Amino acid sequence: MRSNNFRRLFLSTSFFLLIGLNAGLAQDAVKLSDYLKSLEQQYDIRFSYASDAISDISITPTTTANLAANLEYIKARTGLQIKQINARYYSISAPDSIHIVVLDAQSGLPLPNANIRLVDQTTGYTTNASGSSYIPNPAAPIFIQVQYLGYQTQGLNVGPVEFDTVVVQLRPSVDQLEEVLLQPVFTQGIYRTNDGSYRFNTEKFGLLPGIAETDVLQISQTLPGVESVDETVSNVNVRGGSNGENLLLWDGIRVYQSGHFYGLISAINPYITEDVYIYRNGTHSRYGESVSGVIDLKAKDEITDGIHGKATLNLLHANAFIDLPLSKKLSVMIAGRRSLNDLYETPIYNSYSERVFQDTQITNLATPNAQSELKASEDFNFYDLSAKLLFDPTAKDKFRVNFLVINNALTFNQSLSNDAFTLSETSELDQQNIAAGISWQRSWNSKWSSSIEAYRSQYNLDAANFELLTTAFDTQGNEVISFVGRGQLVYRPKNNLQWEAGYEFTETGVTNSDQTTTPEFRRRVKEVLVGHNLFNQLSWNPFQGKTQINAGLRLTHYPKINEYRFEPRFNLHQKLGGGFAVEFHGEFKSQSISQAVAFQNEFLGVENRRWIQANGNEVPLITSKQWSSGLVWNKRNWLINLEYFEKAVDGISATTQGFQNQFANTAAIGSYQVYGLELIINKRWRGLGAWLGYTYSNNDYQFDSFDPQVFANNLDITHSLRTAVSYDLGRFSTVFGLQWRSGKPFTDPLGEALSAVQDDMEIPFNPPNQQRLESFFRADLSFKYIVLDKQTYSLKANAAFQNIFNNNNLLDRYYVSQQIGEDQFAINQIENRSLRFTPNFSLELSF
């Protein structure tokens, strides 16, 4: 009896122990993806796989401490195939598929977003963050092509197999006549080319400090020699030049409005824009109308075989893009963005508003008396819309149609009320750029090709300002209408030799208008200038590509002002061996349109620049000469570039320089000369990158009619330093950066005049630009996390924090007179400050 009871007790206990053991084992099972991450950390390795292949697989961890045993254990339990790619990377593939892994042949790092095209099929695939993609196992061998920007395309046969991992190692592009791309600079997607220019690719773009999503004009300011003294993207200063001296193109169309939110973010939609070229010197002869930098943005230009798109939501705006193929020969791309502050005002919107509207008529309000109640509010929004139609009727022909509209709109409401009356007025400011273009490209044979294009771009800036307590009002307007027709012929007799020739017709009209009621005044001035331009360019890469020569000549004639210009362009890149190369760049350039700068009395004080046209008299043609020489070392994932430059610009008008001192209302023609050094140090390890960019420059004006004749340029930044460290863990990446620069010059009042009462409105100043603002310092931080990475779609979350230490940087200081009594005036010191701590977050869905 006892024996039976003991047996029953033993069996019962064993039964429950087994149940508990099984439950414990079941609880110990983990997702295979988590188990792989633990192995990566334990053994300092990386696994390359597609999420879909293992998303539903769980595994019970083994207690072995041996990597090889762990891998065999996973293979035995899951049926997956694991293959070692190199000393650190392993690939995981599933049955009935071929695992493609795309790596950089030099660094061994994975290449995300590489394109895998199945030739003779309509199907294409893209690698994930680990450089991996799976394609179905075919019934018979197929030929695939693997493509990645800046690398040679590689073709190979694959399949059929049960298990297979194919490792494709791509080498940098060596196409002799294209820009020979060096290793990425600063982050993935930024490349320095051998003609001294920089190329950005928005599809491959990595992470930069303080930027939540791609902004091409913010990104450009990471380059040495490219600054923004007022922290905006609409005031980009290239090697000491003003923003109006730059040429901004979108698919060959000139854009006159570069910023949203009055300059704080780029107005060019990054999703329809694929490549960005930035030239500081030695530009191609097809580029005219600039004496400083060229920023050339290229929209996507290939008809895709499937629907692709992106959608982004951040704390400032919503953005969407779709690439829709209508047939094998026709497709359309549309991108749109709109601000969201009319739905909700976020911390970044409030921070931007505080920065933009400081010391403007929007904020400079005072309550007239204690019995009155003054109320003011602003309604601001912005949007942009871009579209491109692509039509390839034959294998040799390409037709393209482009459309772009950019808009900023501000409404400013004021109301004043008491027991007796109520007054209200509304002031408005509208800024818009509408552009459209059409082009035809044809490849006649293997040696000859041609292109014809035409575009029209119209820019309007209009303001209406109504005084609340009077019937006075004033209106201001600035309009630019430009038409360009261009034809180009390309001859390529050899693989290393290419000649280009073309003609460009330009007609640009600029209208400026002003109307006030107190005192009554009306002005409307329109200037139209026609230009005829011939350009030639020769590209030659002799000696097995060790030497790269680009030489061009641009001939320009403006009949109305009787100006002829002969402008040579040249750059040379010569490899020396051991990773060393020397470079030389030089150019002559000119421009007929520039930006006059005023303060406080222009467009509600929010926008202070208006375009003006050269007329051969008080506004002459602006000309420049520039040369630079440098040394490059590029080896073992190091890039070091040291470059010296000199630039002289003649024919500048004092009205285009934004003087806020004794020369503020003086009309004069002068010049500026700038020289300096630029240094880049860039190093990449596995997952870790570090870079430093430094610029030293000296920038001086010369106005013969001023006293003194020579003094520091308003844009003179003697020292400028940017540095950052980034770390990439695959799905998660982060970057931390610092920027420091010396303060810009300013002019202070003479002696004790700052606190003195004046008997007129004229402020006595010290000699111009002898004082300097305090140094500028800012630290920024960004994060990116890939939430989902599926074969057909992905979801990314970004976070960016500008000025994380909340530094109260001073951007500008100037002085104005203020009436304090009858015939008495005091001097006010005005200071403009930078953005304070500003966070931003975004979600990006790609499909």
Side-chain angles (χ1 to χ4, degrees):
M1 185 74 175
R2 288 181 179 179
S3 176
N4 291 335
N5 291 337
F6 178 81
R7 187 180 295 110
R8 292 191 186 97
L9 179 62
F10 175 79
L11 291 174
S12 300
T13 304
S14 301
F15 175 76
F16 286 111
L17 284 174
L18 286 172
I19 291 176
L21 181 60
N22 287 333
L25 289 173
Q27 290 174 356
D28 288 339
V30 299
K31 285 185 172 294
L32 179 58
S33 58
D34 294 334
Y35 188 48
L36 294 175
K37 290 178 183 178
S38 67
L39 294 179
E40 287 179 336
Q41 295 177 356
Q42 183 177 355
Y43 297 105
D44 191 25
I45 59 174
R46 292 292 180 267
F47 290 104
S48 178
Y49 55 86
S51 301
D52 291 345
I54 68 168
S55 59
D56 297 328
I57 301 177
S58 297
I59 191 171
T60 303
T62 180
T63 57
T64 180
N66 181 276
L67 175 61
N70 267 288
L71 300 182
E72 289 298 327
Y73 175 76
I74 294 172
K75 289 162 64 176
R77 288 300 184 99
T78 64
L80 297 171
Q81 182 72 12
I82 302 178
K83 181 177 179 180
Q84 185 171 4
I85 299 173
N86 55 33
R88 193 165 185 246
Y89 281 87
Y90 292 79
S91 72
I92 299 178
S93 58
D96 299 324
S97 65
I98 300 176
H99 186 198
I100 309 293
V101 181
V102 185
L103 304 177
D104 183 305
Q106 295 181 349
S107 67
L109 295 174
L111 296 178
N113 299 314
N115 297 316
I116 302 172
R117 188 169 71 92
L118 278 59
V119 179
D120 297 330
Q121 298 185 29
T122 60
T123 308
Y125 298 87
T126 303
T127 59
N128 61 14
S130 302
S132 290
S133 182
Y134 282 83
I135 66 173
N137 186 28
I142 60 172
F143 185 74
I144 66 171
Q145 283 186 334
V146 183
Q147 302 170 325
Y148 194 80
L149 179 70
Y151 291 78
Q152 300 178 49
T153 297
Q154 186 170 329
L156 66 156
N157 290 298
V158 297
V161 291
E162 181 182 358
F163 283 103
D164 196 17
T165 295
V166 177
V167 180
V168 182
Q169 301 191 48
L170 300 183
R171 296 189 176 278
S173 172
V174 293
D175 186 353
Q176 297 295 332
L177 292 178
E178 293 294 327
E179 309 91 345
V180 180
L181 299 177
L182 304 180
Q183 74 175 85
V185 181
F186 307 147
T187 188
Q188 188 71 35
I190 302 181
Y191 306 92
R192 186 187 185 279
T193 70
N194 285 352
D195 66 358
S197 65
Y198 287 84
R199 182 178 182 179
F200 301 167
N201 180 262
T202 59
E203 285 290 317
K204 319 297 181 186
F205 198 75
L207 200 61
L208 283 176
I211 301 178
E213 64 179 37
T214 304
D215 188 310
V216 294
L217 296 183
Q218 281 188 343
I219 294 165
S220 69
Q221 296 174 33
T222 63
L223 305 178
V226 182
E227 291 282 350
S228 177
V229 296
D230 63 1
E231 204 180 36
T232 67
V233 299
S234 61
N235 189 19
V236 176
N237 315 120
V238 179
R239 286 183 171 172
S242 67
N243 181 76
E245 296 171 357
N246 298 325
L247 175 65
L248 178 63
L249 299 172
W250 180 74
D251 246 19
I253 304 173
R254 179 151 195 179
V255 179
Y256 297 94
Q257 177 183 346
S258 58
H260 280 316
F261 222 129
Y262 301 103
L264 290 182
I265 61 175
S266 170
I268 306 298
N269 199 301
Y271 292 155
I272 200 171
T273 304
E274 184 172 46
D275 291 310
V276 182
Y277 297 83
I278 295 182
Y279 300 86
R280 299 168 302 168
N281 189 10
T283 53
H284 195 288
S285 60
R286 66 175 169 268
Y287 296 115
E289 281 299 325
S290 77
V291 293
S292 283
V294 174
I295 304 175
D296 190 1
L297 303 104
K298 304 285 188 182
K300 299 173 187 290
D301 200 52
E302 296 297 329
I303 297 176
T304 59
D305 51 16
I307 299 176
H308 301 282
K310 285 186 179 181
T312 298
L313 180 67
N314 64 27
L315 298 184
L316 195 62
H317 61 257
N319 195 0
F321 164 75
I322 188 166
D323 186 355
L324 182 64
L326 305 177
S327 70
K328 291 184 178 180
K329 297 182 178 181
L330 182 67
S331 70
V332 63
M333 297 183 293
I334 301 174
R337 173 171 45 176
R338 191 190 186 283
S339 58
L340 299 174
N341 55 282
D342 50 352
L343 300 178
Y344 54 88
E345 293 186 3
T346 62
I348 187 173
Y349 173 80
N350 294 329
S351 181
Y352 277 21
S353 294
E354 179 184 355
R355 164 67 183 85
V356 168
F357 298 130
Q358 62 179 308
D359 190 41
T360 67
Q361 293 182 39
I362 310 302
T363 54
N364 291 346
L365 297 173
T367 302
N369 55 66
Q371 288 75 37
S372 300
E373 183 179 355
L374 176 66
K375 296 181 180 180
S377 64
E378 78 275 357
D379 181 16
F380 171 74
N381 66 78
F382 64 82
Y383 69 87
D384 60 69
L385 179 66
S386 312
K388 184 172 183 178
L389 181 71
L390 302 89
F391 178 47
D392 296 347
T394 71
K396 294 185 176 182
D397 296 282
K398 292 184 177 182
F399 287 92
R400 303 291 184 261
V401 178
N402 304 78
F403 176 77
L404 172 69
V405 59
I406 300 168
N407 185 269
N408 287 322
L410 172 65
T411 301
F412 177 49
N413 302 296
Q414 298 180 73
S415 64
L416 182 65
S417 62
N418 59 22
D419 296 336
F421 65 89
T422 298
L423 297 175
S424 65
E425 290 290 358
T426 300
S427 300
E428 295 179 328
L429 175 65
D430 190 72
Q431 186 180 31
Q432 186 176 78
N433 200 142
I434 301 177
I438 184 170
S439 67
W440 170 44
Q441 303 174 45
R442 179 171 175 82
S443 298
W444 299 94
N445 52 46
S446 60
K447 295 182 179 180
W448 290 93
S449 62
S450 64
S451 65
I452 299 175
E453 55 189 308
Y455 75 77
R456 185 183 188 274
S457 183
Q458 179 171 342
Y459 169 77
N460 289 93
L461 177 60
D462 296 291
N465 182 24
F466 293 86
E467 295 290 338
L468 183 61
L469 297 177
T470 69
T471 59
F473 73 92
D474 66 84
T475 61
Q476 298 169 321
N478 181 217
E479 179 184 68
V480 182
I481 300 177
S482 64
F483 172 80
V484 174
R486 185 186 301 116
Q488 181 173 325
L489 191 65
V490 179
Y491 177 54
R492 188 171 182 173
K494 299 180 181 180
N495 288 335
N496 67 339
L497 182 64
Q498 180 172 293
W499 171 72
E500 302 171 62
Y503 166 75
E504 181 181 77
F505 170 84
T506 62
E507 183 182 55
T508 305
V510 180
T511 303
N512 281 289
S513 60
D514 298 272
Q515 181 180 357
T516 62
T517 58
T518 308
E520 188 172 345
F521 171 77
R522 179 177 295 179
R523 177 183 73 103
R524 188 176 187 273
V525 179
K526 183 175 183 178
E527 298 282 356
V528 179
L529 193 64
V530 172
H532 302 277
N533 309 273
L534 293 172
F535 58 90
N536 283 265
Q537 187 82 10
L538 181 69
S539 301
W540 184 35
N541 295 348
F543 312 117
Q544 292 78 45
K546 293 182 179 179
T547 302
Q548 182 173 334
I549 299 172
N550 295 291
L553 178 65
R554 185 177 180 91
L555 291 82
T556 298
H557 174 46
Y558 297 104
K560 182 179 179 180
I561 59 177
N562 196 28
E563 284 276 2
Y564 290 88
R565 289 286 301 169
F566 296 87
E567 300 174 352
R569 317 281 176 85
F570 181 81
N571 62 68
L572 167 71
H573 180 93
Q574 177 63 57
K575 294 181 180 178
L576 303 177
F580 286 95
V582 292
E583 294 181 334
F584 178 83
H585 312 286
E587 64 182 19
F588 284 42
K589 293 201 297 185
S590 63
Q591 67 179 77
S592 64
I593 188 172
S594 55
Q595 284 182 321
V597 182
F599 291 88
Q600 300 309 305
N601 59 337
E602 290 279 281
F603 303 105
L604 304 181
V606 175
E607 176 60 61
N608 55 29
R609 289 171 294 182
R610 59 169 76 196
W611 291 98
I612 59 174
Q613 178 72 275
N615 55 25
N617 298 313
E618 64 273 10
V619 184
L621 195 71
I622 307 174
T623 62
S624 71
K625 301 176 183 178
Q626 182 178 190
W627 72 272
S628 59
S629 182
L631 179 67
V632 181
W633 185 63
N634 178 35
K635 196 171 185 179
R636 293 191 289 271
N637 291 325
W638 279 93
L639 173 62
I640 300 177
N641 177 215
L642 180 64
E643 188 169 1
Y644 173 80
F645 68 91
E646 290 186 9
K647 181 171 75 170
V649 178
D650 295 310
I652 62 172
S653 171
T655 61
T656 66
Q657 302 305 303
F659 288 118
Q660 301 174 88
N661 49 26
Q662 57 266 54
F663 305 135
N665 299 308
T666 305
I669 303 300
S671 63
Y672 70 85
Q673 297 78 38
V674 57
Y675 65 86
L677 282 170
E678 296 167 348
L679 173 67
I680 291 177
I681 301 177
N682 187 72
K683 170 62 176 175
R684 298 195 68 82
W685 297 268
R686 285 194 177 120
L688 181 65
W691 56 267
L692 178 146
Y694 168 75
T695 302
Y696 165 80
S697 67
N698 184 84
N699 192 354
D700 288 328
Y701 286 124
Q702 181 169 344
F703 284 87
D704 293 338
S705 61
F706 287 173
D707 183 24
Q709 295 180 345
V710 178
F711 53 95
N713 194 303
N714 294 334
L715 303 175
D716 182 35
I717 303 296
T718 308
H719 304 281
S720 178
L721 176 71
R722 286 177 181 259
T723 185
V725 177
S726 62
Y727 192 57
D728 188 354
L729 288 171
R731 283 182 175 269
F732 176 80
S733 57
T734 183
V735 59
F736 173 76
L738 301 173
Q739 55 175 303
W740 172 89
R741 64 171 183 260
S742 51
K744 68 184 290 285
F746 74 97
T747 308
D748 58 346
L750 183 66
E752 300 299 323
L754 182 61
S755 58
V757 175
Q758 308 299 309
D759 58 2
D760 56 40
M761 294 187 68
E762 214 38 60
I763 300 177
F765 282 101
N766 276 310
N769 289 351
Q770 286 193 342
Q771 303 298 318
R772 294 271 176 174
L773 300 178
E774 296 87 346
S775 296
F776 178 98
F777 174 78
R778 199 175 89 179
D780 301 320
L781 182 65
S782 293
F783 299 96
K784 179 177 71 175
Y785 179 69
I786 302 175
V787 182
L788 295 172
D789 188 16
K790 302 296 184 180
Q791 191 70 36
T792 56
Y793 67 93
S794 65
L795 180 64
K796 300 176 184 177
N798 292 351
F801 304 93
Q802 294 178 308
N803 197 6
I804 60 176
F805 298 136
N806 201 29
N807 289 71
N808 192 19
N809 290 304
L810 181 60
L811 298 175
D812 198 9
R813 176 183 291 150
Y814 59 96
Y815 300 87
V816 296
S817 295
Q818 182 181 16
Q819 188 168 0
I820 58 175
E822 186 176 357
D823 298 327
Q824 288 186 317
F825 299 87
I827 298 177
N828 276 355
Q829 175 180 286
I830 308 297
E831 294 186 341
N832 288 332
R833 298 282 174 172
S834 69
L835 282 171
R836 303 300 293 264
F837 172 69
T838 305
N840 196 8
F841 305 90
S842 71
L843 284 174
E844 179 185 294
L845 175 66
S846 302
F847 58 91

